[in-house]
Amino acid sequence: GIWEHSKSEGHDDYGLLVTEKARKYAIVKELEEPVNLRDGTTVLQYEARFQNGLECGGAYLKYLRPQEAGWKPKEFDNGSPYSIMFGPDICGLTNKVHFILKQKNPKSGEYVEHHLIDPPRVPSDKLSHVYTAILKPDNEISILIDGEVKKKGNFLAAQDFDPPIIPDKTIPDPNEKKPEDWDDRVRIPDPNAVKPDDWDENAPMEIEDMEAVKPEGWLDDEPEEIDDPEATKPEDWDDEEDGVWEAPKIDNPKCQTAPGCGEWKRPMKRNPAFKGIWNPPLVDNPNYKGIWKPRDIPNPNYFELDKPYFDPIAAIGIEIWTMQEGILFDNILIAKDENVAESYRDTTWKPKFVVEKEKQKAEEEAAGSDDLGGFQKKVFDVLYKFADIPFLSKYKLQILDFIEKAEEQPNLTIGVLVSIVVVILTAIFMLIFSGK
């Protein structure tokens, strides 16, 4: 893909622009000196704008480790080793602002990707947005969108990263196997059951209804379809090349007023003698030993630490694949002071956002859809909050996918609202009644 140094739509401010659809893009900038993430607060921030929308693609940054890790700027690609990956990613059911820490396990020596659990969603519009990650010395991480905290977590909390940055103390023994005589069947076919003498497995499911009578007026000699009398053989039809010409068929008009045409056959009905294949009933298994699982052993790769081991950041790279053009990156910042990042947002991002927002509002008013659009936005904002309810987490992806599709057809807002309520109520009833 070809990068351009281009103006943001409606501004004189320049940024890095993705210019073509369905391309891979890569660009990297080495820092004058590596940034140490282990000392004090570190703020990672940048702006991204989807000028043509974003349906499938990434707009994230990679914060790369020093070149001693085995990469070269001119060979920068998706295999180049990074310390942190941060930013929006949308495609299919994926819609999130990634935060991934890649940390080396001191026991195994392997680098492991640790994904922030339940990251915030990507704003679904064509405006400029600023994404901020704040890494604090007390292990707290905050993800902000447009200066508003959308997600907080702790690097060392098992519930905030997948897999946890500190591994489990024990793991299932990989060398232990289930004994051959271990029976984990809760119920088994009754060995004493006998098929009843009158059980006919060969009886058909349906039989002819012998009580049925052919309706009066049935036209036995009339076909259901006849040749179209108005059809004529085309002038350019060649019987030798095209075959014998046949008129197209139409429904027989005589059959429209009659109860039926053609050969009458008795209808089928369910066979009262049908029972299907006989199977013995299930009974409790007297040899049931429970669900087998291997015993836990000490995890050889377990380790403890007071804070994550952050590799230094030696370069910043954009390495993405996207189906949309028009993605603009701007104002990439690494700071040690939150106030610096906030000031940068106020002076570089906010003025642009205000202009874009006003322009969007004017366009909506000109189209006469402002009131409806505002109502729809409130409805979808509420629906997204429903999707984040903890006890609906099992259905979160389905709900979010449905809402996203609905946003593409906003005129159906009310119908969508009703449908979402039905989905939520269904989930609640399934929980109450254990899925029965």
Side-chain angles (χ1 to χ4, degrees):
I2 305 299
W3 293 99
E4 281 186 8
H5 187 223
S6 176
K7 286 184 181 180
S8 181
E9 288 184 8
H11 306 291
D12 290 329
D13 191 39
Y14 280 76
L16 277 173
L17 182 67
V18 169
T19 61
E20 299 176 87
K21 298 180 179 180
R23 293 285 186 271
K24 293 181 179 180
Y25 290 83
I27 191 168
V28 67
K29 172 65 178 177
E30 295 180 78
L31 305 181
E32 292 181 0
E33 59 182 48
V35 177
N36 188 344
L37 302 180
R38 293 179 61 83
D39 297 332
T41 296
T42 302
V43 183
L44 310 176
Q45 182 171 285
Y46 73 102
E47 297 172 26
R49 183 182 184 190
F50 310 135
Q51 297 182 147
N52 300 325
L54 185 62
E55 297 176 4
C56 186
Y60 42 78
L61 301 188
K62 289 185 175 180
Y63 299 85
L64 295 127
R65 308 202 315 255
Q67 291 183 47
E68 290 77 9
W71 70 280
K72 298 178 181 178
K74 290 184 179 181
E75 299 173 3
F76 173 58
D77 60 14
N78 63 352
S80 300
Y82 64 86
S83 178
I84 289 174
M85 190 172 106
F86 171 52
D89 189 16
I90 295 178
C91 200
L93 294 179
T94 298
N95 183 324
K96 57 188 173 183
V97 179
H98 279 293
F99 185 91
I100 304 173
L101 169 64
K102 206 165 187 179
Q103 179 185 256
K104 184 178 181 179
N105 184 307
K107 290 292 187 70
S108 67
E110 295 181 354
Y111 276 88
V112 179
E113 287 187 358
H114 302 279
H115 294 244
L116 182 65
I117 295 174
D118 289 331
R121 296 174 56 79
V122 183
S124 56
D125 56 42
K126 300 179 182 181
L127 308 178
S128 296
H129 294 282
V130 57
Y131 301 91
T132 309
I134 303 176
L135 290 56
K136 294 192 174 180
D138 62 356
N139 295 324
E140 181 184 274
I141 174 172
S142 299
I143 305 297
L144 290 69
I145 301 178
D146 299 344
E148 181 181 347
V149 176
K150 297 293 186 179
K151 171 73 178 181
K152 273 193 175 184
N154 188 291
F155 280 108
L156 302 187
Q159 69 270 19
D160 287 338
F161 280 86
D162 181 31
I165 289 175
I166 298 179
D168 295 330
K169 288 185 178 181
T170 61
I171 59 171
D173 186 350
N175 298 317
E176 192 173 11
K177 296 181 179 179
K178 183 171 75 172
E180 293 183 1
D181 62 348
W182 189 282
D183 195 340
D184 55 9
R185 298 172 299 164
V186 179
R187 294 173 65 78
I188 59 172
D190 185 353
N192 299 318
V194 178
K195 183 174 71 172
D197 292 337
D198 61 347
W199 192 288
D200 184 1
E201 292 186 340
N202 297 319
M205 183 182 295
E206 292 185 328
I207 58 174
E208 285 187 356
D209 185 357
M210 301 305 296
E211 297 179 358
V213 178
K214 182 170 70 173
E216 292 185 10
W218 189 281
L219 306 178
D220 298 84
D221 299 328
E222 289 289 340
E224 293 183 0
E225 292 185 335
I226 60 172
D227 291 344
D228 185 354
E230 297 182 0
T232 56
K233 180 178 178 181
E235 294 181 1
D236 59 349
W237 187 277
D238 188 328
D239 288 341
E240 292 185 0
E241 293 186 4
D242 302 325
V244 177
W245 181 82
E246 295 180 357
K249 299 289 185 179
I250 61 170
D251 293 335
N252 188 342
K254 295 181 180 180
C255 298
Q256 294 179 2
T257 56
C261 291
E263 180 185 358
W264 180 81
K265 295 181 180 179
R266 286 189 173 87
M268 303 296 287
K269 70 174 185 178
R270 182 172 178 81
N271 183 3
F274 172 76
K275 294 185 178 181
I277 303 299
W278 181 83
N279 291 297
L282 297 178
V283 296
D284 291 339
N285 182 4
N287 299 319
Y288 175 67
K289 293 184 178 181
I291 303 300
W292 182 86
K293 64 177 183 177
R295 64 188 176 90
D296 287 337
I297 61 172
N299 184 356
N301 294 322
Y302 174 75
F303 63 89
E304 295 183 359
L305 42 69
D306 296 328
K307 63 187 309 178
Y309 180 78
F310 296 107
D311 279 306
I313 295 174
I316 300 175
I318 305 172
E319 183 278 313
I320 58 174
W321 176 89
T322 179
M323 291 300 293
Q324 272 77 42
E325 81 281 27
I327 304 175
L328 191 81
F329 295 86
D330 200 7
N331 296 320
I332 299 170
L333 171 72
I334 300 178
K336 285 294 184 179
D337 187 339
E338 293 180 58
N339 293 326
V340 171
E342 182 179 1
S343 174
Y344 215 67
R345 290 195 298 269
D346 290 341
T347 57
T348 63
W349 164 75
K350 198 166 187 177
K352 291 188 294 186
F353 182 77
V354 170
V355 170
E356 293 165 7
K357 195 74 173 176
E358 290 177 350
K359 181 181 178 183
Q360 176 181 272
K361 184 177 180 180
E363 291 174 349
E364 289 176 350
E365 290 176 345
S369 61
D370 185 53
D371 291 341
L372 180 58
F375 168 72
Q376 289 165 342
K377 184 180 187 302
K378 291 178 181 178
V379 170
F380 286 115
D381 286 344
V382 171
L383 295 180
Y384 278 124
K385 291 179 180 178
F386 267 116
D388 290 328
I389 296 175
F391 71 80
L392 293 176
S393 59
K394 182 178 179 181
Y395 311 96
K396 182 174 181 178
L397 291 179
Q398 292 94 323
I399 293 173
L400 291 178
D401 184 49
F402 192 51
I403 296 173
E404 287 169 19
K405 286 181 171 61
E407 283 187 303
E408 296 174 2
Q409 302 183 59
N411 290 334
L412 303 179
T413 297
I414 299 300
V416 170
L417 178 60
V418 174
S419 302
I420 291 292
V421 170
V422 171
V423 172
I424 293 171
L425 290 176
T426 302
I428 292 173
F429 274 100
M430 289 180 69
L431 289 168
I432 293 174
F433 297 107
S434 302
K436 295 182 180 178

